[in-house]
Amino acid sequence: MSKSIKRGILGISMVLPSFLVLVLIVVIPIISSLRESLKNENGGYDLSNYAYLFTDKLMRSNIIFTLEITIVSSILVLLISYSLAVYMRFNNGFAVRWIRRTYMIPIFIPSVIATYGLIQLLGNHGWMARILYHLGTDSFPRIIFDMKGIILANLWFNIPFTTMLLGSALSGVPDAVIESAKDVGAGRLRIFFRLILPLTFKTLLVALTFVFMGVIGSFTAPFLIGPNAPQMLGVSMEQIFSVFQDRQLAAATAFFTFLLCSFVGYFYIRSMIKEESVRSS
Amino acid sequence: MLNKKSAFAFVTSFVLAASLLSGCGSSKDSGTSSAAEGTDTSSKQVEFSFYYSGSQNVDDLWKNLIPMFEEKNPDIKVKAVYVPSGTGAQPTYDRILAAKQSGKGSGDIDLFEDGLGVVTKGQKDDLWDNLSTDHIPNLNNVDQNTLNDVSNLAIPYRSSAVVLAYNSETVKDVPKTLDDVYEWIRSHPERFAYNDPSTGGAGSSFVTTSIYNFLPEDAIHNTDPSIESQWDQGFSLLKDLGKYMYGKGIYPKKNQGTLDLLTSGEVDMIPAWSDMVLDQLDKGQLPETTKITQITPGFNGGPTYLMVPKLSEKKDAVYKFLDFVLSPEAQNVVVDKMHGFPGIKLTNMSQEVQDSFKGASEGFRSFNIGDLDKDINKRWQSEVAAQ
């Protein structure tokens, strides 16, 4: 056996375990839920469940609602996290020290507790409403049982990790590059858009993928503080599956969510592959 | 596919159960195994497993009742398996069904507790044993009508009903009929709330009662889907009430969701389970001004049932246990510990107990509409929640 074949076998045998795990817990469930979702009431196969997904008024509004929340949350999370990370990277002092010490706290608070905390804080008779009432404001906007509440909860859950991710990417930007740009007279904005942003763009994409997938599949916060209708897809899926016990429709919803996620995943993987090929050529 | 799925559920629950069992240190073997070491003297000890689910109060109840029973019957050991509500009741049922389909007896489950829905479902799948007074003398204490409702396949060992809970400081003209309630809701906008019917029985009962109020009296025992065409009037009423509800149409999740609103004073009246209200009043979680009342026609009330899987091999021991559960002594614990209504006729209980349930334990109705509640929830979601 030649050396290269041996090396090839070794390579395959090292990849095999993770490949098998992937097949067992990702690929097979996806295929089986695709099959389940194509079943109609008479036991045959057709697209009736998907047709229902896009023609039923309620389901359609659920999908739009989910996309709205996901897109708004992703943009807000990325904006806030990126500015936080940039601020922490290029500044020093009291404020930065305290942000650095505290921004990870939300990660360690269980989501159910955090959600109930938000209800206590922002609910109709919550602390915020009471404080504002004493300051003379009578009307308090509806945050809990509304889209705003879900978005706020998503910010709480996603900002720490995203900031951490972006922070580490930013610390990879060498000071020397920035200083030399400054030396040749580049302005602050120019440095940001021509150097920092391109150098961290890939991590930004990774962060976007994480936030997008985390939000679109979220359940606890939307279940507890979302409105009764429209619902986010996760909540709706749970209801269809365990209350209406319509497994096929639940599978169709799940598969559709998977498609949405893989759409984002596609861009992420494409940019990764591009990077690799640039490097190897 | 379905089979595969339930087989998967079965395997998962089996693995779970196995790990649970090994945790308890008792032998996994069914049959007449001696349960723990050192019980060789009572050589013929029978151990049967009892699966129940529910909120914490249900667990507390059985942790009181089982030792009482075991003390009296040293030859029987009850292996109690508590499945927290919401997560596990469906798999437990699937497990019994899967065991039967694959010819494995009762799947090591000898007694199972659940609501009416599961009783009817098991009736269709022919899972439950027929119970009679020959084996369980105390069955005579139970109202025969309730037993007829489930064709003697299950024992209604306790019950609770949905009642109207209200803040007696702000609600002076307490509604007596369902129409009074609607009237009150309309004249006090945003002071009434019921929970999302798919997340808890209290809201579900309000919805069902409202819909079936327009139907003939005996419709509440009808499980035939053809009746669904008569629901329109009820749904349009609920839809119309939406704008008078808390937050102009917010339906909190879970039975506790509305109770929280009542506690914080955001609403003045809610439909709620009697046992939850009485228990939380007792613990001081609800304000003392909270009172309960039943209306006519009554909200859904209903027993919680105990079922014996037909293929269980330890029926004799289970029958003895069931007989004990239906004794006035055990029923007193039900009343004391969880503020439930006794499962046996009130006349069998002490005068004190009879008095304490006056008003609350009467007037409710047992709805038995089978799988139709799924359709109600579905329609409610698309017509009332999403209006």
Side-chain angles (χ1 to χ4, degrees):
Chain A
M1 223 186 280
S2 77
K3 204 178 169 194
S4 68
I5 292 180
K6 259 187 198 161
R7 281 177 64 101
I9 290 174
L10 184 72
I12 289 174
S13 66
M14 280 170 96
V15 173
L16 206 61
S18 66
F19 177 73
L20 279 180
V21 169
L22 198 72
V23 168
L24 265 178
I25 68 171
V26 180
V27 180
I28 292 178
I30 288 174
I31 293 173
S32 80
S33 62
L34 176 64
R35 243 187 63 182
E36 182 83 23
S37 72
L38 290 173
K39 266 189 203 160
N40 63 15
E41 280 161 16
N42 313 320
Y45 290 92
D46 61 16
L47 285 170
S48 59
N49 287 313
Y50 291 93
Y52 182 81
L53 210 58
F54 298 111
T55 50
D56 183 57
K57 206 180 104 210
L58 187 67
M59 284 314 291
R60 222 171 36 205
S61 65
N62 286 350
I63 292 171
I64 295 169
F65 183 72
T66 309
L67 284 177
E68 250 177 283
I69 287 193
T70 311
I71 291 167
V72 173
S73 310
S74 305
I75 293 173
L76 283 178
V77 167
L78 286 185
L79 272 182
I80 296 173
S81 298
Y82 202 70
S83 17
L84 257 180
V86 168
Y87 182 72
M88 287 198 290
R89 168 73 176 79
F90 297 107
N91 289 282
N92 247 320
F94 183 73
V96 170
R97 272 207 305 280
W98 274 100
I99 296 176
R100 204 164 276 161
R101 270 178 212 160
T102 51
Y103 83 97
M104 295 285 281
I105 289 178
I107 288 186
F108 301 106
I109 298 177
S111 58
V112 178
I113 291 172
T115 310
Y116 271 111
L118 277 175
I119 294 177
Q120 292 291 322
L121 180 69
L122 301 168
N124 206 359
H125 279 202
W127 300 339
M128 199 71 107
R130 266 177 272 165
I131 293 169
L132 285 176
Y133 180 76
H134 285 294
L135 295 177
T137 324
D138 222 3
S139 68
F140 187 69
R142 181 171 305 293
I143 295 175
I144 299 304
F145 302 126
D146 191 85
M147 191 171 169
K148 293 192 266 314
I150 305 181
I151 293 177
L152 271 174
N154 284 333
L155 294 185
W156 168 269
F157 293 132
N158 287 295
I159 285 177
F161 185 69
T162 316
T163 311
M164 195 175 77
L165 211 63
L166 293 169
S168 70
L170 280 165
S171 60
V173 178
D175 281 335
V177 177
I178 293 162
E179 273 157 26
S180 51
K182 266 186 196 157
D183 286 344
V184 294
R188 279 181 163 220
L189 276 179
R190 211 182 154 95
I191 293 180
F192 180 74
F193 283 111
R194 302 300 285 274
L195 282 175
I196 298 174
L197 198 59
L199 279 171
T200 52
F201 186 71
K202 213 183 84 184
T203 316
L204 207 59
L205 214 60
V206 177
L208 175 71
T209 327
F210 273 116
V211 177
F212 187 91
M213 291 182 184
V215 170
I216 208 165
S218 58
F219 178 77
T220 316
F223 179 74
L224 289 171
I225 58 185
N228 298 88
Q231 302 162 308
M232 281 194 72
L233 284 177
V235 182
S236 168
M237 231 183 291
E238 193 270 346
Q239 197 182 41
I240 295 171
F241 185 78
S242 61
V243 182
F244 307 155
Q245 294 180 0
D246 188 344
R247 283 183 182 158
Q248 288 76 30
L249 185 60
T253 321
F255 193 75
F256 175 68
T257 317
F258 165 73
L259 283 184
L260 285 177
C261 286
S262 47
F263 180 70
V264 176
Y266 167 74
F267 282 104
Y268 165 68
I269 291 172
R270 205 183 63 168
S271 87
M272 290 289 154
I273 290 172
K274 232 198 255 165
E275 190 94 353
E276 292 280 301
S277 60
V278 166
R279 204 173 284 166
S280 59
S281 62
Chain B
M1 197 62 223
L2 203 78
N3 271 340
K4 227 181 222 170
K5 213 155 228 177
S6 24
F8 179 69
F10 173 67
V11 170
T12 338
S13 45
F14 186 78
V15 170
L16 264 177
S19 55
L20 260 179
L21 292 184
S22 58
C24 298
S26 57
S27 77
K28 202 176 76 199
D29 256 9
S30 55
T32 52
S33 64
S34 61
E37 60 272 34
T39 48
D40 290 331
T41 39
S42 57
S43 55
K44 281 218 143 174
Q45 199 185 41
V46 180
E47 185 187 56
F48 70 87
S49 34
F50 170 33
Y51 280 63
Y52 57 92
S53 86
S55 303
Q56 189 59 40
N57 54 351
V58 180
D59 193 30
D60 292 344
L61 174 74
W62 289 117
K63 287 204 171 119
N64 269 292
L65 283 180
I66 289 170
M68 279 168 70
F69 170 75
E70 282 176 345
E71 202 172 304
K72 283 189 191 160
N73 299 275
D75 54 332
I76 300 176
K77 191 157 168 40
V78 184
K79 193 172 75 196
V81 182
Y82 170 54
V83 189
S85 79
T87 47
Q90 178 70 23
T92 311
Y93 180 82
D94 285 347
R95 203 178 136 182
I96 301 176
L97 188 62
K100 189 192 162 187
Q101 281 168 351
S102 56
K104 295 213 174 74
S106 63
D108 218 4
I109 298 168
D110 305 298
L111 186 62
F112 183 42
E113 166 183 336
D114 213 314
L116 191 56
V118 169
V119 179
T120 350
K121 211 153 94 184
Q123 191 174 1
K124 267 189 234 152
D125 294 330
D126 192 26
L127 287 185
W128 312 131
D129 185 36
N130 208 324
L131 304 163
S132 74
T133 42
D134 301 345
H135 301 109
I136 309 165
N138 276 336
L139 214 51
N140 281 321
N141 296 345
V142 180
D143 188 359
Q144 193 54 43
N145 288 328
T146 340
L147 285 174
N148 288 343
D149 242 6
V150 292
S151 328
N152 286 327
L153 292 175
I155 289 184
Y157 82 95
R158 69 179 161 94
S159 54
S160 56
V162 174
V163 293
L164 214 53
Y166 61 94
N167 180 348
S168 60
E169 261 180 5
T170 46
V171 182
K172 294 296 173 201
D173 45 343
V174 182
K176 293 207 167 52
T177 66
L178 198 55
D179 290 325
D180 287 352
V181 176
Y182 299 147
E183 180 87 28
W184 191 91
I185 294 172
R186 289 205 176 91
S187 53
H188 299 81
E190 302 202 36
R191 302 303 295 171
F192 184 90
Y194 65 91
N195 63 286
D196 180 342
S198 65
T199 64
S204 165
S205 171
F206 182 80
V207 169
T208 319
T209 309
S210 296
I211 293 170
Y212 278 80
N213 197 26
F214 293 109
L215 271 63
E217 182 73 24
D218 56 344
I220 62 170
H221 298 294
N222 191 341
T223 55
D224 185 20
S226 64
I227 206 167
E228 292 185 13
S229 59
Q230 301 175 46
W231 288 353
D232 298 350
Q233 214 177 344
F235 271 110
S236 64
L237 173 88
L238 288 169
K239 215 163 145 180
D240 176 61
L241 283 178
K243 53 182 177 288
Y244 301 105
M245 288 293 150
Y246 167 69
K248 299 197 172 61
I250 287 175
Y251 308 92
K253 303 278 160 74
K254 301 265 177 199
N255 294 324
Q256 188 60 37
T258 40
L259 281 165
D260 288 343
L261 290 180
L262 188 66
T263 310
S264 67
E266 287 177 72
V267 296
D268 291 325
M269 198 188 286
I270 58 166
W273 284 106
S274 57
D275 56 331
M276 287 178 84
V277 177
L278 292 171
D279 191 46
Q280 292 182 23
L281 262 176
D282 206 33
K283 291 182 182 145
Q285 287 163 331
L286 274 169
E288 274 172 34
T289 51
T290 311
K291 291 222 165 89
I292 60 173
T293 183
Q294 184 57 271
I295 54 165
T296 41
F299 282 127
N300 183 19
T304 303
Y305 294 93
L306 292 170
M307 289 82 77
V308 185
K310 209 173 209 169
L311 300 171
S312 161
E313 286 156 2
K314 283 160 261 181
K315 281 184 193 157
D316 287 338
V318 176
Y319 289 152
K320 259 191 198 160
F321 181 66
L322 290 177
D323 196 49
F324 164 76
V325 170
L326 290 177
S327 66
E329 182 196 359
Q331 290 291 317
N332 258 325
V333 179
V334 171
V335 174
D336 288 346
K337 286 285 165 202
M338 63 184 303
H339 301 279
F341 307 148
I344 58 178
K345 279 178 279 190
L346 267 181
T347 43
N348 294 315
M349 305 293 288
S350 69
Q351 191 61 42
E352 200 185 332
V353 173
Q354 288 187 39
D355 288 345
S356 70
F357 283 118
K358 225 170 220 157
S361 71
E362 293 158 9
F364 68 81
R365 300 179 294 169
S366 290
F367 284 70
N368 186 9
I369 56 171
D371 275 349
L372 293 186
D373 61 342
K374 246 168 33 189
D375 293 332
I376 291 186
N377 287 343
K378 215 168 175 172
R379 223 175 128 178
W380 183 88
Q381 181 65 31
S382 65
E383 288 182 26
V384 181
Q387 55 174 301

